[in-house]
Amino acid sequence: MRLLAIIGASGHGKVIADIARKIGYSEIVFFDDDESIRECGGYPVIGKCTETGQIDADVIVGIGNSGVRKRIQESIPDGKLVTLIHPDAVIAEDTMIGEGTVVMAGAVINPGARIGRGCIINTCSSVDHDCKVGNYVHIAVGSHLCGTVSVGNGTWIGAGATIINNVSICPDCMIGAGAVVIKNIVEQGTYIGCPVSKMQG
């Protein structure tokens, strides 16, 4: 299998490298703009993010911040981006998953789900039937989308959050850890609590 270049030498990048190794990548390198970082998870950091295009490799962006992830991913030439799925994730056969998305161990994606580009479907999270997850969304550790949920581009669903059936969340929201969403969210912002309410200020 080809060389894999991971942009972003971080904890998230380490998890991506572990997935890559498990699915057969024999050589993994990192790129990061912090010149003081020499290795990540035992793999070398060989250059800055802008230098990724100088090597012949598959590429994935290992950065948690959705805005930064989007900016970097959209600068990568077509054909170089890959999608990585942990072998212990459960993915329905008809699921569609966009380029640059990573699906972590224990995640479940059920029939009819559509996952956008550059998403993070994190450890032990679930996306149930017929959900639509936009681009650059992060479904954090242990969070759950019930059936027919729609999540707008760039939204972060916090660790342990639950989104009930048939709910829509607009783009660029942050749903707090452990939050419960029981109705549509139509205004950008940060939402916390059970059920959620928008943080003010």
Side-chain angles (χ1 to χ4, degrees), residues 25-73:
Y25 280 96
S26 58
E27 188 175 359
I28 298 166
V29 295
F30 280 88
F31 289 81
D32 197 284
D33 289 341
D34 184 344
E35 295 182 357
S36 70
I37 302 174
R38 301 298 183 187
E39 63 87 29
C40 184
Y43 302 101
V45 178
I46 66 169
K48 293 185 176 182
C49 298
T50 54
E51 298 170 357
T52 310
Q54 298 174 15
I55 65 169
D56 182 20
D58 293 341
V59 178
I60 192 160
V61 182
I63 295 173
N65 182 288
S66 63
V68 176
R69 192 164 67 254
K70 177 182 179 183
R71 175 175 55 79
I72 293 174
Q73 179 165 320

Side-chain angles (χ1 to χ4, degrees), residues 19 22-23 85-90:
I19 294 170
K22 283 180 167 62
I23 64 173
I85 298 173
H86 194 285
D88 290 332
V90 178

Side-chain angles (χ1 to χ4, degrees), residues 1 9 30 36 40 81 90 108 126 144 151 165 199:
M1 188 172 281
F30 280 88
S36 70
C40 184
L81 280 169
V90 178
V108 176
S126 64
H144 303 289
V151 180
N165 298 61
M199 290 183 65

Side-chain angles (χ1 to χ4, degrees), residues 2 17 24 32 48-49 56 66 77-78 83 101 106 124 137 139 142 156 184 197 201:
R2 295 182 62 191
D32 197 284
K48 293 185 176 182
C49 298
D56 182 20
S66 63
D78 290 342
T83 298
T101 288
C124 294
V137 169
I139 309 296
W156 180 299
N184 292 347
S197 60

